[in-house]
Amino acid sequence: MSHAPLHDPRTVTVRAPAKVNLHLGVGAPRADGFHPLATVYQAVGLYDDVTVSAWDDWTVRVLLEGPLVEQPERADPTTGLAAQLERDNIAERAGRLLAAHHGIEAAAAITIRKSIPVAGGMAGGSADAAATLVALDRLWDLGTADEDLLDLAARLGSDVPFALLGGTASGTGRGEVVEPLLDRGAWWWVVIGNERGLSTPAVYGAFDARHPTGDVPDPALPTALPAALADGDPVMLAALLDNHLQAAALDVRPDLAATLDAGLDAGALQVLLSGSGPTVLALCSDADHAREVTAGLQRAGHHRVVAVPAPVAGVHVVEYDGGPVR
Ligand code: C5P
């Protein structure tokens, strides 16, 4: 595709974090097919950077960077993961939704530098959508109200509002109703990636298959979790981590049991599946412990491993390039 060059050199880059769920309570499917959730989200120091610039048509370019998303060199550039993401991307949907909300006809070139695993259970696509909303709001000088951004985010996906918020927050509804929580911890997670992604609907389907009569209690937030977060005690937190999708994800991918065991063998305080998986999270007591657990996992042959701090900020502008000064 050829493009006439546009004479607007401005670019805006927005960084968006991955999320983990400290508690993921899931209920029986609602009439709309979504599952009611009672979750506690935490934003972790693993990011996608989204850069936007004015363009005459929507284009998306995806660059896979970092240990959790690197692809084998033999990957075909037309059928590989980056190409698949470029063909159908939630960031473009976010941009179109923002333009429609304001009734403007505009398009943009979007470049996504991905470090968050793709289909990994860490809301990487949601992070890109949230980042695109904020980046284009700034590029187009729209001044969209926070409530409107949260509303647009919720329409794009259940996890998108949390990516805007960051920090630590409860999530109810289908995950899109977010409320900040006090979190005094300086947590460290070791993130263990996987070569293959896992489909979120497939894992929810496996959850339903485990409960054929739909007899699942309404999900509720555990009362002890806010206290552990306010306290900042990793041993307390380790005892409270819980993911109701974990057993269902293991039904789809039994191999993940060995990855969870590897985290414990490497000395983590506790392990759990991230969201719908397949990424595995290992909670550590501090940065030194996270380095030891990372080294242990690498010695055991796991190479898609990074240690990340939490909580971190939600989407934020990291670069605004107004173009050359004339
Ligand atoms: O909201 P989002 O687009 O991220 O959801 C992806 C899929 O995950 C949905 O189509 C649905 O199958 C499943 N899902 C669900 N209940 C939720 C969130 C997601 O069943 N609360």
Side-chain angles (χ1 to χ4, degrees):
M1 202 180 344
S2 71
H3 288 280
L6 294 179
H7 296 289
D8 185 347
R10 293 177 309 139
T11 64
V12 180
T13 300
V14 169
R15 182 161 293 171
K19 63 82 186 163
V20 301
N21 302 83
L22 308 178
H23 176 90
L24 180 51
V26 182
R30 315 187 303 200
D32 64 2
F34 282 90
H35 294 69
L37 301 185
T39 190
V40 174
Y41 293 110
Q42 193 174 62
V44 302
L46 180 64
Y47 305 97
D48 284 358
D49 279 357
V50 174
T51 300
V52 296
S53 56
W55 205 240
D56 54 4
D57 200 359
W58 290 100
T59 66
V60 178
R61 189 160 158 250
V62 176
L63 305 169
L64 300 168
E65 295 178 350
L68 297 180
V69 294
E70 268 163 9
Q71 293 297 296
E73 273 179 24
R74 64 180 183 284
D76 180 329
T78 55
T79 58
L81 184 57
Q84 285 172 35
L85 292 170
E86 286 168 359
R87 273 194 290 275
D88 177 26
N89 199 289
I90 189 173
E92 181 179 329
R93 290 203 290 283
R96 288 181 184 273
L97 188 64
L98 184 70
H101 174 73
H102 289 278
I104 56 173
E105 289 239 354
I110 303 171
T111 301
I112 304 171
R113 290 193 159 74
K114 285 203 79 67
S115 299
I116 306 174
V118 178
M122 300 194 81
S126 302
D128 300 344
T132 305
L133 288 176
V134 170
L136 288 176
D137 179 65
R138 183 63 69 93
L139 184 78
W140 293 335
D141 229 346
L142 298 171
T144 314
D146 285 355
E147 312 84 81
D148 288 356
L149 279 179
L150 284 166
D151 189 53
L152 295 173
R155 286 161 60 186
L156 289 159
S158 309
D159 297 331
V160 184
F162 175 69
L164 289 174
L165 201 62
T168 303
S170 62
T172 52
R174 57 179 231 278
E176 88 285 17
V177 182
V178 287
E179 287 289 337
L181 284 172
L182 174 66
D183 184 348
R184 289 207 189 88
W187 314 101
W188 279 89
W189 295 96
V190 172
V191 179
I192 312 170
N194 204 280
E195 315 239 304
R196 282 185 295 145
L198 189 47
S199 146
T200 301
V203 173
Y204 276 104
F207 178 87
D208 294 342
R210 285 183 152 253
H211 308 281
T213 59
D215 190 14
V216 186
D218 284 340
L221 292 173
T223 47
L225 192 44
L229 292 169
D231 220 60
D233 178 353
V235 175
M236 255 166 97
L237 180 63
L240 295 169
L241 296 174
D242 192 15
N243 180 349
H244 291 188
L245 289 180
Q246 185 163 312
L250 285 167
D251 289 344
V252 185
R253 287 281 304 274
D255 60 294
L256 296 175
T259 315
L260 289 159
D261 287 346
L264 288 177
D265 290 347
L269 294 177
Q270 185 54 285
V271 290
L272 93 162
L273 195 74
S274 183
S276 57
T279 308
V280 166
L281 306 168
L283 181 65
C284 300
S285 36
D286 54 28
D288 283 342
H289 185 214
R291 271 190 284 273
E292 283 166 29
V293 170
T294 303
L297 282 159
Q298 284 167 341
R299 276 196 301 277
H302 294 268
H303 296 297
R304 293 180 178 251
V305 183
V306 289
V308 297
V312 300
V315 294
H316 53 285
V317 176
V318 286
E319 204 173 284
Y320 182 98
D321 184 348
V325 179
R326 287 166 213 274

